Amino acid sequence: MKKITLLLLLFITKMTYSQITYYRFETYSTQEKACAQDVVDRFVVKVNIEHPNQLNLGSYYYLDLGSNFGLGKRYCKVTNLSEGSGDADFDLNHPSVSNSLNSHTICNMKYYYFNLSTYSSYQSLRENRSSDRFNMKVHIKLPSNIFQYHTSVGSVMKVDFGNEFNLGSRYCVINNKSESLGDSDADLDYAENNVNVFVYEKTYNYHNIITFTSKQKAVDYLCHGSRSHDGTYKVNLYTADLHLTNKVYTANFGNNFNLGTRYFVVSNNYWGRGDADFDINTSVTAIGNCSTLSNPNTGGEPDLVLKQIKIGYRDQFNNLITDNFGEVKYTYSDNANKPLKLLKDTNHDICVTIQNKGNANAGNSKLDVLISPTTSIYDAWTTIKANQSYGAINSNGTQEKCFSYRYDSNFGVIGSHTRLNTSKTYYFFVHVDKNNSVAENAQGEQNNDVSESFKYITSSGNLYSRGFHFPKLIFNFNDFSRVIVNDKEEESSTVQKLKNNTIYIIQDNQGNSQKIIKK
């Protein structure tokens, strides 16, 4: 009985951590041939793969297919899949799975130059261990949007160098990068070398902190020359980055020295554990620096977010389409008539509103607007507006910026690769504060990439869809006042309250009108 139970547990464990999926692949020997869908090079195979993660339909993966049909390593596009085993040509157990690529990124990749300092571990990188550091100049073939938005100088990426200098997998600090190629130690590939540009790992790092019982005491110490505090402590904090010496923070230190929750400033820090009074894994919140905290009206930091996208539509004479009363007809991202809509062969006015939800004013910054076929900005096909400037935004204030955009169905493509389809949902991505020129709060840097869904439509009759023929406009001919109603119940209630002996016009969102004379 014990043996049966053990076998059952092992079977359940195997089922929990692995799954078999049937795949049909179109395979290609090179990325360039995969992009061109070279029919001479194409080799179609059916494979049962045992792996904990299911591959995505329509995506490309760089897989080692082994000696089967003499294929070896190929770029494989998933054209069909189903759970469980199927009638396959062969089976693969736990193959190494590369980064996924979509039909755009696999065609929009090229080599870029990087100067890197590489380390064998994340801790070694953070401690800047010279004995472990190995500097390299490499060319890496990347999707253009990954290079542009996610490989800034000073950021970290993880790269599997394989047999190059016997390095294997390394953590890399980007010292310099360029679109122009230069002297290189190695040529690498985003998929083949599993380049991960989103490294975020926590370790214990040493901080010498000065603590305070109130925020004002911490501000006075950091910004106004006060030397009053309630203690100094050496702490190993569990963080992904060092906390800075020019900010006020707050954290709960628990029972360590009976500190509980304290405000603190950092007088010294370095990567890795040090000779500390205690170690702690606790949430640390940045309150602000002297430029924000010294002003009592703006204590804190900015937090820039996308508030709204709205789209207006222009006619053949390039005039914005309006209702009969001159009101511009928009679709909006922040109310019930989602999703947004792009209209075939039409000039659009796309207006983006940015809000500062933080407790301090934000300086000038820029944004990009991109189109993606998925909810990931990393799959973005193309940038439809780059470096759109918007001015300073006060705390809780907003800025709206508009630009023109046209999708021409005669070309039928976005980013020269993919035709828009009326049956699918696409996504606008707004990359707020694209150059990180505004120092936001602890959460502010994490909410700067925001998506809003949109549909591609061919008829203007499908533009406005908040219910049947809503919203409607009720216009009073006596005092020229107007009111907008959003559903039938609201329309009935409003009509009942209208004054007698007055002429009203009710217009729906299709431009149909009716006259009411209330007596």
Side-chain angles (χ1 to χ4, degrees):
M1 184 64 186
K2 289 182 179 179
K3 183 177 180 181
I4 293 173
T5 303
L6 179 60
L7 288 171
L8 182 60
L9 287 172
L10 288 172
F11 178 70
I12 292 171
T13 301
K14 185 176 181 180
M15 288 182 63
T16 302
Y17 292 100
S18 186
Q19 60 180 339
I20 296 176
T21 306
Y22 167 84
Y23 296 97
R24 187 178 186 273
F25 293 123
E26 289 179 358
T27 77
Y28 302 88
S29 60
T30 68
Q31 171 240 318
E32 289 76 14
K33 290 179 179 179
C35 170
Q37 298 189 14
D38 188 325
V39 294
V40 176
D41 181 66
R42 181 189 301 158
F43 192 91
V44 177
V45 293
K46 297 172 289 183
V47 188
N48 292 321
I49 295 181
E50 184 174 358
H51 196 273
N53 299 315
Q54 191 174 88
L55 308 185
N56 297 320
L57 186 64
S59 292
Y60 290 81
Y61 296 86
Y62 189 68
L63 297 177
D64 187 350
L65 301 175
S67 60
N68 298 288
F69 302 108
L71 291 172
K73 293 181 178 180
R74 306 272 290 186
Y75 285 87
C76 303
K77 180 181 181 180
V78 182
T79 59
N80 193 14
L81 64 87
S82 60
E83 293 184 1
S85 296
D87 181 18
D89 299 316
F90 55 88
D91 297 344
L92 285 180
N93 293 322
H94 296 87
S96 176
V97 178
S98 74
N99 298 310
S100 66
L101 297 163
N102 62 35
S103 57
H104 170 70
T105 54
I106 201 166
C107 294
N108 199 23
M109 294 173 69
K110 69 175 187 176
Y111 280 107
Y112 298 95
Y113 170 84
F114 291 90
N115 185 312
L116 305 173
S117 292
T118 78
Y119 301 83
S120 62
S121 70
Y122 193 74
Q123 175 110 2
S124 176
L125 178 152
R126 288 314 196 185
E127 294 177 8
N128 195 22
R129 295 178 191 166
S130 58
S131 60
D132 184 48
R133 186 189 313 130
F134 188 84
N135 294 328
M136 291 190 71
K137 294 173 289 184
V138 298
H139 296 148
I140 304 179
K141 187 184 287 186
L142 287 170
S144 59
N145 60 316
I146 295 291
F147 175 82
Q148 184 175 0
Y149 297 112
H150 305 289
T151 58
S152 58
V153 172
S155 65
V156 176
M157 59 184 178
K158 190 176 182 181
V159 180
D160 184 358
F161 291 94
N163 294 326
E164 295 287 350
F165 302 97
N166 294 317
L167 289 174
S169 186
R170 305 277 287 186
Y171 292 88
C172 309
V173 178
I174 301 174
N175 301 318
N176 195 12
K177 70 171 191 173
S178 174
E179 294 189 51
S180 301
L181 301 184
D183 182 29
S184 170
D185 299 316
D187 291 343
L188 307 173
D189 182 272
Y190 174 74
E192 294 180 40
N193 298 96
N194 279 311
V195 178
N196 179 7
V197 297
F198 310 108
V199 176
Y200 183 88
E201 295 187 18
K202 289 187 175 184
T203 58
Y204 280 100
N205 298 299
Y206 176 85
H207 294 75
N208 195 321
I209 67 171
I210 303 166
T211 64
F212 308 88
T213 55
S214 72
K215 182 175 77 172
Q216 190 58 53
K217 288 181 180 180
V219 172
D220 290 343
Y221 186 96
L222 182 66
C223 308
H224 304 306
S226 170
R227 296 298 91 186
S228 175
H229 60 80
D230 64 51
T232 61
Y233 303 90
K234 295 175 288 184
V235 185
N236 290 323
L237 290 168
Y238 192 63
T239 65
D241 294 294
L242 294 177
H243 296 303
L244 306 179
T245 57
N246 64 345
K247 287 188 175 184
V248 172
Y249 298 91
T250 184
N252 187 344
F253 295 104
N255 294 325
N256 294 290
F257 296 93
N258 294 315
L259 286 172
T261 298
R262 286 285 197 277
Y263 293 91
F264 69 92
V265 298
V266 177
S267 62
N268 188 25
N269 56 30
Y270 55 78
W271 295 110
R273 272 192 167 93
D275 181 19
D277 298 317
F278 58 91
D279 297 358
I280 190 168
N281 180 1
T282 187
S283 175
V284 176
T285 301
I287 303 300
N289 56 31
C290 290
S291 65
T292 57
L293 292 170
S294 295
N295 184 345
N297 296 320
T298 60
E301 292 180 314
D303 183 8
L304 297 173
V305 298
L306 173 67
K307 178 177 174 61
Q308 180 193 79
I309 302 175
K310 68 180 183 182
I311 302 180
Y313 308 86
R314 292 185 176 269
D315 59 22
Q316 66 269 34
F317 305 107
N318 207 34
N319 298 312
L320 278 169
I321 298 174
T322 64
D323 60 27
N324 289 349
F325 302 100
E327 298 285 340
V328 176
K329 289 185 175 183
Y330 288 106
T331 58
Y332 295 87
S333 66
D334 61 347
N335 61 23
N337 70 344
K338 284 185 177 182
L340 293 159
K341 299 176 179 71
L342 282 187
L343 182 58
K344 174 183 176 182
D345 299 336
T346 298
N347 292 323
H348 303 76
D349 279 18
I350 300 178
C351 299
V352 177
T353 300
I354 304 300
Q355 181 180 17
N356 178 8
K357 295 175 64 178
N359 297 320
N361 298 342
N364 298 331
S365 190
K366 295 181 178 181
L367 61 82
D368 282 353
V369 181
L370 308 93
I371 285 180
S372 174
T374 74
T375 55
S376 172
I377 192 172
Y378 314 125
D379 292 334
W381 281 334
T382 189
T383 301
I384 63 172
K385 186 64 180 179
N387 295 312
Q388 173 73 63
S389 297
Y390 54 95
I393 306 177
N394 294 335
S395 175
N396 294 317
T398 60
Q399 280 274 10
E400 181 184 82
K401 290 294 179 180
C402 300
F403 61 91
S404 60
Y405 179 71
R406 178 183 179 89
Y407 174 68
D408 194 330
S409 65
N410 291 326
F411 298 108
V413 294
I414 287 287
S416 301
H417 288 286
T418 304
R419 183 179 297 274
L420 289 181
N421 190 316
T422 56
S423 65
K424 295 184 178 180
T425 298
Y426 303 94
Y427 298 87
F428 288 118
F429 266 93
V430 178
H431 187 56
V432 181
D433 189 24
K434 60 164 292 187
N435 298 321
N436 294 322
S437 56
V438 176
E440 300 181 58
N441 63 30
Q443 291 76 38
E445 304 295 349
Q446 301 172 26
N447 57 14
N448 285 352
D449 290 338
V450 186
S451 67
E452 290 290 353
S453 60
F454 75 89
K455 286 279 193 179
Y456 169 59
I457 60 174
T458 58
S459 170
S460 60
N462 297 323
L463 278 175
Y464 311 100
S465 57
R466 274 190 295 180
F468 183 68
H469 296 310
F470 286 94
K472 291 183 178 181
L473 180 69
I474 301 177
F475 184 80
N476 184 332
F477 266 90
N478 276 17
D479 58 11
F480 302 106
S481 63
R482 63 187 68 188
V483 63
I484 294 175
V485 294
N486 293 302
D487 52 46
K488 188 66 178 176
E489 182 178 350
E490 188 177 353
E491 179 186 13
S492 299
S493 174
T494 302
V495 169
Q496 289 179 3
K497 297 175 183 176
L498 297 178
K499 295 179 180 179
N500 293 332
N501 302 314
T502 304
I503 299 175
Y504 298 92
I505 295 292
I506 300 178
Q507 183 186 63
D508 66 19
N509 58 23
Q510 308 298 314
N512 304 310
S513 300
Q514 66 179 117
K515 182 170 70 173
I516 295 178
I517 302 176
K518 192 168 183 185
K519 297 181 179 180

